[in-house]
Amino acid sequence: MLRELHISNLAVIADAKVELAAGLNCFTGETGAGKSLVIGAIGVLLGLRSASTLLRRGAREGRVSGVFEIGDDTLRQALSAATDVPFDEDADLLLTRRIFASGRTSASVNGHPVTLGMLRAAGELLADVHGQHDHVFLLKAANQLDVLDQYARLEKPRTEHAATWSELQATRAKIADLRRGEKDRTQRIDFLKFQLDEIEAAAPDADEFEALEKKASKLGNLETLKTDSTAAHDALYENDDALVERLRSIGRSLDHLSDLDAEVKPIAEAVKSATLQLDEAARDLGRYTQKLDLDPAELEETQTRLNTLNRLLKKYGPSMADVLAFRDGLRAELADLDGAGDNADALEAKLKPLAEKREKLAAVLTKKRGAAARKLTPLIESQLAELGMPKAKFRVDVAPGEPSAAGDDAVEFVAQTNPGLEPQPLRKIASGGELSRIMLALKQVLAQGDRISVLVFDEIDANVGGRLGSVIGSKLRHLAEAHQVLCITHLPQIAAHADRHLTVRKDQAGDATVSTVEVMTGESRVEELAAMIGGAKITETTRAQARELLDVARR
C-alpha cells in the first residue's frame, strides 16, 4: 500500500504531506482545488505521466515522493528485477521523482538512481491509475490473458504448458543449430584434430621444458666451460706453482712453527683444513672437465626439442600446464562434436511427441478459458447494471492467436457501453467515467486474484447521481477489503464510505495560490460532507444528512 505521499512545488501545491490509510481513501474538495493534481502526482511518481509542465511557477525544482509498504515476497522480487535495486525483507519502498526547471527529471528507488523505464515498470507493479488509459494494467490485451487465467485458476496447466513449450522450442533450436552448423562442425573437427595431433605428436611433459632450457644452455657454452674449467683446475693443481701445492708448503711451515709456539697450532690446522677442501675441489673440477666432451648431435637434438616446445607454448601457452589443459579441452570438444550428428537424429525423434503434448495442453487451456469467459460475462454485466450501466454489454473474446508459452489463444475484453454503439476493446473506450466503472466492475469480480495492491480512480463518479453514488461507494468499500483504493469524488454518498477522508483546499497566500490536503475526522468530516450536500450554505439539515450518510455507510 501507499502509506505516505509528499508533493513539493507541483503546480498549485507548494508542499503537501498526504498520509494514507489501508482501505478506501477519498479525496474531496471544490472544483479546481487540486484534487486531480494529487492523483496526477501519483502518476508522475510512478512514471505514468509527463512531469515537465507541472513544475510550480517560479520554482527551480519540484519533487514527488511516495513510501510503499511491500508485504509480498513475490512482488518484492519483481520490483527488484524491474529496477535492479535490492530490497531488504520487510523494508519499505521509497520512490522519488524530481522535476527541474530545465525540463529534466530524475528518479530513484530507495536512493538508487533508476531510469524512467525502470520507474514505469515498478509503477505498473504497484498501482493501477484509472483515468490514464494507456497505463491501466487491464487495458493491455497482453495482460487480459493473465487476468482470465487467474480467474479460471489455470496456474498449474499453464505452467505445465509453458515448460513443454520451452522444451519444444529449445529442442527445435538445438536441432537447427546442429543441422545448420554441419559444415562448420566438419571444419571445426578438422581444425581441432590438427591442433590435437600437433600437441600429441610432441608428447610434452609438464616439467620437461625447464630441464631442457638448462641443458641447452650448458651444451651451447660447452667450449667455454671446458676451457675455463681446465685453466682453473691447472691453476689449482697441475701447474708448477699450483695453489694447492703452495698451501701444502705453507702448512708444513706452520706445523714447524706450532712446535715452537702452541698459539700457531690453530692457525696451522685451519690452513691444513682449507688445503684439504681446496684439494678436493680441484679433483672434482678435474673430473668435471674430463666429462665435458662436445657432442654436436646431442646439442642439435636438444635445441630441436626446445624449439618444438617453444612453438607449443607460443600457440597454446603461456605455460606447459596451459598447453596440457588445452589438449584436454580439445579432446572433450572433439568428443562432443563427433556425437553431434547422432544427437540431431535423437532430438528429431523427440519433436513429434513433444509437439503433440504441447497441442493437447494448449487445447485444455483454450477449453477452460472459454468456459471461464462465459462465466465471467454475466458477472461483469451484473456489476455494470448496479453501477448505472444497465444497457452495457461485456464479453471476453477468446480467439486463436500466435502460439506462445501461454498457449494458442488471444484474449480481449470487449464492451458495448450503450445500445447502438459498436462493441470495442476496453482500450478504445473514450469516456473516463464509463471506463472507471467498467474497471470497478472488473475489479469487483477479479479482486481476489488481482496482483495490484493500490487502485486509483480519477473519474469514478463522472455523470453519476447521488443514488448511484451510494452503490459505487459501497462497491469501492468492498473492493478496499482486498486493496488500497484511492478515489477522487464529488459525491458525498461515495465519500461517506471512506476509511480516510481527505479534503483538498485552495487558498491565497499573498499573490500565490496554494492547495493543501487535510484529513477529515469527526465534526470536520461532517462539515465537509454537509458542504458537499448543500453547497456553501451549511444547515442543520445538511449536517443531519451528512451524519445519516456516515451511519448508512458504517452499517
Side-chain angles (χ1 to χ4, degrees):
M1 62 169 278
L2 176 59
R3 192 177 72 225
E4 186 176 306
L5 181 69
H6 188 194
I7 307 169
S8 174
N9 290 329
L10 205 66
V12 294
I13 299 180
D15 188 74
K17 180 180 178 182
V18 184
E19 294 184 354
L20 300 164
L24 176 59
N25 298 259
C26 284
F27 292 85
T28 63
E30 295 180 359
T31 300
K35 301 185 298 298
S36 291
L37 183 59
V38 175
I39 302 302
I42 295 174
V44 168
L45 177 65
L46 301 177
L48 308 180
R49 179 170 175 175
S50 173
S52 58
T53 61
L54 293 178
L55 184 64
R56 182 174 171 80
R57 186 175 179 180
R60 297 177 60 185
E61 178 186 331
R63 180 181 304 208
V64 183
S65 299
V67 179
F68 290 82
E69 291 181 3
I70 310 297
D72 181 72
D73 285 337
T74 301
L75 177 58
R76 188 178 291 109
Q77 292 169 11
L79 287 166
S80 182
T83 60
D84 199 26
V85 174
F87 291 93
D88 294 333
E89 188 175 355
D90 298 329
D92 290 339
L93 169 66
L94 172 64
L95 293 186
T96 302
R97 184 113 182 258
R98 300 170 67 190
I99 312 155
F100 302 97
S102 63
R104 184 176 67 86
T105 67
S106 68
S108 65
V109 175
N110 286 352
H112 297 268
V114 295
T115 66
L116 181 57
M118 289 177 173
L119 182 68
R120 186 175 293 119
E124 291 183 349
L125 291 167
L126 290 167
D128 265 356
V129 183
H130 299 283
Q132 299 177 40
H133 297 190
D134 292 340
H135 303 294
V136 179
F137 180 84
L138 270 175
L139 295 189
K140 298 180 180 179
N143 297 331
Q144 291 171 5
L145 175 66
D146 295 338
V147 170
L148 181 63
D149 285 355
Q150 288 176 3
Y151 173 73
R153 299 185 177 181
L154 297 182
E155 181 180 353
K156 185 176 180 180
R158 181 164 164 172
T159 300
E160 187 178 359
H161 176 274
T164 305
W165 168 270
S166 297
E167 185 180 359
L168 181 61
Q169 294 300 100
T171 303
R172 284 172 174 162
K174 182 68 173 176
I175 292 171
D177 286 343
L178 292 172
R179 298 301 189 205
R180 185 172 55 249
E182 193 67 32
K183 181 179 178 181
D184 293 340
R185 185 176 70 88
T186 302
Q187 292 176 344
R188 179 67 175 167
I189 288 174
D190 290 343
F191 179 62
L192 294 177
K193 284 183 176 179
F194 168 79
Q195 290 182 311
L196 184 59
D197 289 345
E198 183 179 28
I199 296 174
E200 290 186 334
D205 181 86
D207 302 321
E208 179 184 13
F209 184 75
E210 186 177 351
L212 274 174
E213 277 193 318
K214 292 178 180 179
K215 184 177 181 181
S217 176
K218 177 179 177 180
L219 292 174
N221 295 282
L222 197 60
E223 192 64 41
T224 300
L225 288 170
K226 189 172 183 67
T227 300
D228 291 352
S229 62
T230 299
H233 175 263
D234 290 348
L236 285 170
Y237 203 76
E238 295 292 343
N239 292 341
D240 292 339
D241 59 344
L243 184 57
V244 172
E245 188 56 40
R246 289 166 61 193
L247 282 174
R248 286 190 180 122
S249 175
I250 293 169
R252 287 192 292 272
S253 295
L254 290 173
D255 281 342
H256 176 66
L257 291 175
S258 65
D259 292 338
L260 300 176
D261 185 352
E263 285 188 33
V264 180
K265 189 170 184 178
I267 300 171
E269 291 296 331
V271 170
K272 185 183 295 183
S273 176
T275 302
L276 290 173
Q277 289 182 3
L278 197 57
D279 180 71
E280 185 61 31
R283 293 177 186 275
D284 289 342
L285 186 57
R287 288 189 289 271
Y288 170 78
T289 303
Q290 290 174 3
K291 292 191 299 182
L292 292 175
D293 293 326
L294 181 61
D295 183 352
E298 184 182 8
L299 176 60
E300 182 179 359
E301 180 184 344
T302 301
Q303 196 60 53
T304 299
R305 179 62 176 169
L306 195 58
N307 289 341
T308 298
L309 296 181
N310 271 317
R311 186 164 56 252
L312 293 180
L313 289 171
K314 185 176 181 181
K315 294 174 71 173
Y316 312 117
S319 70
M320 194 55 63
D322 293 320
V323 173
L324 295 174
F326 188 81
R327 177 200 63 190
D328 295 340
L330 291 174
R331 289 171 176 169
E333 187 176 353
L334 275 170
D336 288 341
L337 289 173
D338 284 339
D342 295 337
N343 289 340
D345 293 336
L347 290 172
E348 288 277 9
K350 290 177 61 178
L351 269 184
K352 186 177 179 181
L354 263 179
E356 291 176 347
K357 179 182 178 182
R358 189 209 71 79
E359 289 170 2
K360 288 179 181 178
L361 292 171
V364 169
L365 288 173
T366 299
K367 182 178 179 180
K368 291 186 175 182
R369 284 167 180 159
R374 290 188 293 274
K375 181 180 178 182
L376 188 59
T377 294
L379 296 176
I380 299 299
E381 289 181 346
S382 175
Q383 290 288 330
L384 290 175
E386 293 179 14
L387 290 168
M389 299 174 69
K391 304 290 186 179
K393 299 296 181 183
F394 180 88
R395 71 172 190 264
V396 180
D397 286 345
V398 181
E402 191 70 25
S404 69
D408 295 345
D409 308 311
V411 170
E412 184 84 70
F413 290 178
V414 178
Q416 181 187 28
T417 55
N418 289 291
L421 296 179
E422 287 293 323
Q424 54 188 340
L426 296 190
R427 63 182 180 277
K428 294 185 178 180
I429 294 175
S431 168
E434 288 180 343
L435 183 61
S436 289
R437 276 182 277 167
I438 293 172
M439 289 300 129
L440 180 55
L442 282 165
K443 294 291 184 181
Q444 285 288 318
V445 176
L446 303 173
Q448 298 306 316
D450 192 0
R451 93 279 183 262
I452 297 292
S453 61
V454 182
L455 306 178
V456 184
F457 292 93
D458 193 359
E459 303 177 45
I460 193 69
D461 57 6
N463 302 316
V464 168
R467 179 179 174 184
L468 188 56
S470 182
V471 174
I472 292 175
S474 177
K475 289 188 176 298
L476 286 172
R477 182 66 174 271
H478 177 72
L479 188 60
E481 293 175 3
H483 304 269
Q484 182 189 40
V485 179
L486 280 59
C487 169
I488 289 177
T489 183
H490 297 89
L491 294 178
Q493 291 87 350
I494 294 177
H497 284 83
D499 294 292
R500 175 157 294 187
H501 184 163
L502 304 105
T503 295
V504 182
R505 303 189 188 281
K506 184 167 63 175
D507 300 302
Q508 290 293 126
D511 295 333
T513 301
V514 179
S515 291
T516 58
V517 183
E518 301 177 30
V519 177
M520 298 287 102
T521 59
E523 285 303 309
S524 66
R525 185 176 185 187
V526 171
E527 292 293 306
E528 176 65 15
L529 290 173
M532 294 175 71
I533 294 169
K537 188 177 180 180
I538 300 174
T539 67
E540 287 303 319
T541 300
T542 56
R543 290 189 181 97
Q545 290 173 334
R547 291 189 179 94
E548 184 177 358
L549 285 177
L550 288 171
D551 288 340
V552 170
R554 291 191 189 101
R555 290 198 299 271

